[in-house]
Amino acid sequence: MIRLEQTFMNFLLDHQERHNRTYNFLILMDALTSAAKHIEHYYLTGALKGNLGLAGNLNVQGEDVMRMDQIAQEITVHYLRTSGRVIHAISEESDKVIPINTESGRYFVYFDPLDGSSNVPHGLPVGFLFGVAKRNLEGPEDGHLRAGRDYMAAGMFVIPTGTFTLGLKDAGTWRFHIDETMDFVRPTRMILPEDAKKWELSFNAASRYTYAEKVQNWIEQNEQKYVFRYLGSLAADFHRILSNGGMFMYPAIVNHPDPKKNRPQGKLRLMYEAAVVAFMCREAGGAAVDETGTPILDIQPRKPHQRTALYVGSKLLIEDIGRVLSG
Ligand code: AFP
């Protein structure tokens, strides 16, 4: 007997019906999964087609744009537009807020279509991360800069591994795998394991002496209890933490020998990186804080590309580091 699985769309349909919701979110998710499959296809054949190199320009953050970043951006905006459900989008690849269906759109989408660019030339895992918030349907629009606690869903595709993880507000975090027909299937509820045996720490170890002293001390006192893993691609590193437990961190850089390289605000972007993983983590029983110990999901963004430090993972570890950070 072959084993056939429930599809993502079927799972979501069931979810929407159980909660008496419209099908609009389903249409949006169809657009996002279609975009991810399309990007995955380009990524898999990228080395052959010369798509894994630089595009020759800088992005809004002043970083080199890869050819794949542009392809992923074009694909995602196309699918969001044709869904007819998105009012505005914020993307790491676009300086300005992207107007999509400004009259009839219903959702705000915050995304990074290809995060982890140092992995691109090697064809190794990158992430397509996104958060979704709903527009105010009654009365005037109340703005597109939403805190993570106001997201209704947040998810990530780890490309090109065929895995998709989605957090649904008050309904858990679920993982899906791509099947032979390119459908995402087999909903599996993700709960961070309480047993610390497999817990991992994930951070850029080469940067540890640039962190605040209290963070360095915490690492020194705790690192030997855990396994260390780091890929340099948030989606891929967080994917492991969700399965095994532990903590991913990208602390503020405050002690760099070259002060110009300090990043007191952190490196990661709040709206389409930190809040996305923080949302999935909360729905899986975990937590996330910034450099002051403030919950990531409570931070009200003041601008689209705002940065933050990030500590995300198993609740006990986040509470522990949170005490150190806020102390
Ligand atoms: P890039 O896309 O510039 O490689 O950044 C990826 C990222 O935003 C995130 O996915 C990683 O966790 C983190 O930065 C890696 O940063 P370091 O290279 O400084 O470790």
Side-chain angles (χ1 to χ4, degrees):
M1 277 256 292
I2 55 167
R3 183 174 167 184
L4 295 169
E5 313 274 358
Q6 186 185 20
T7 65
F8 168 62
M9 275 302 150
N10 200 248
F11 163 85
L12 204 57
L13 189 64
D14 193 46
H15 171 82
Q16 293 296 97
E17 282 180 345
R18 248 181 306 123
H19 293 85
N20 269 330
R21 300 216 180 111
T22 69
Y23 297 142
N24 289 295
F25 182 60
L26 221 77
I27 296 168
L28 173 67
M29 287 312 306
D30 182 55
L32 287 164
T33 49
S34 298
K37 286 186 261 184
H38 216 134
I39 295 168
E40 180 135 324
H41 168 79
Y42 271 90
Y43 199 67
L44 281 169
T45 58
L48 295 177
K49 295 192 178 145
N51 282 335
L52 298 188
L54 294 176
N57 54 313
L58 300 179
N59 70 7
V60 48
Q61 335 275 349
E63 300 154 345
D64 280 321
V65 173
M66 310 288 300
R67 176 89 189 100
M68 264 315 297
D69 287 329
Q70 288 178 333
I71 292 172
Q73 170 77 359
E74 269 175 50
I75 289 173
T76 309
V77 172
H78 163 80
Y79 281 103
L80 293 185
R81 206 176 288 290
T82 52
S83 79
R85 297 299 186 281
V86 180
I87 170 168
H88 286 133
I90 288 176
S91 162
E92 127 127 297
E93 297 304 326
S94 173
D95 188 2
K96 302 223 163 66
V97 174
I98 309 167
I100 309 236
N101 301 109
T102 49
E103 292 302 316
S104 56
R106 194 180 167 88
Y107 304 108
F108 298 112
V109 178
Y110 316 119
F111 68 96
D112 185 346
L114 210 84
D115 182 56
S117 40
S118 69
N119 282 327
V120 172
H122 311 286
L124 286 169
V126 291
F128 172 4
L129 298 141
F130 65 90
V132 179
K134 203 197 274 182
R135 80 181 290 175
N136 181 10
L137 295 170
E138 291 136 30
E141 184 38 56
D142 49 355
H144 48 259
L145 295 179
R146 300 292 181 84
R149 77 176 110 75
D150 294 333
Y151 290 8
M152 52 183 290
M156 62 181 191
F157 300 90
V158 183
I159 291 170
T161 67
T163 57
F164 169 36
T165 310
L166 179 69
L168 291 164
K169 191 166 192 176
D170 302 327
T173 288
W174 300 82
R175 184 164 288 165
F176 304 86
H177 295 268
I178 215 159
D179 75 358
E180 298 81 356
T181 66
M182 294 296 278
D183 265 336
F184 287 103
V185 299
R186 198 197 290 171
T188 309
R189 180 115 193 219
M190 303 302 295
I191 308 274
L192 281 158
E194 278 177 25
D195 180 0
K197 261 199 237 96
K198 282 168 78 183
W199 283 9
E200 300 177 353
L201 287 184
S202 185
F203 59 95
N204 187 334
S207 302
R208 61 191 289 169
Y209 298 111
T210 68
Y211 302 159
E213 223 163 282
K214 53 188 176 183
V215 176
Q216 293 186 40
N217 291 341
W218 188 93
I219 293 174
E220 230 149 80
Q221 286 156 19
N222 289 280
E223 65 185 336
Q224 63 287 352
K225 297 184 224 158
Y226 308 109
V227 184
F228 176 80
R229 300 281 182 260
Y230 192 67
L231 251 120
S233 165
L234 175 62
D237 284 317
F238 179 67
H239 182 102
R240 294 187 60 106
I241 298 290
L242 257 187
S243 307
N244 291 350
M247 174 167 66
F248 170 92
M249 56 181 166
Y250 205 109
I253 306 286
V254 290
N255 282 311
H256 200 284
D258 175 357
K260 284 199 291 300
K261 294 195 172 150
N262 276 335
R263 289 172 177 271
Q265 307 307 325
K267 174 187 181 191
L268 302 182
R269 292 62 158 202
L270 175 61
M271 297 195 75
Y272 41 83
E273 289 186 304
V276 169
V277 294
F279 185 100
M280 285 187 277
C281 198
R282 182 195 67 195
E283 291 297 333
V289 296
D290 73 357
E291 195 71 11
T292 63
T294 304
I296 290 286
L297 296 176
D298 286 347
I299 303 173
Q300 175 59 49
R302 295 177 312 282
K303 49 184 185 180
H305 300 291
Q306 187 164 320
R307 294 182 189 266
T308 181
L310 171 68
Y311 301 78
V312 61
S314 300
K315 219 176 212 160
L316 282 181
L317 277 184
I318 301 300
E319 282 168 0
D320 193 31
I321 191 94
R323 277 188 289 273
V324 170
L325 292 164
S326 59

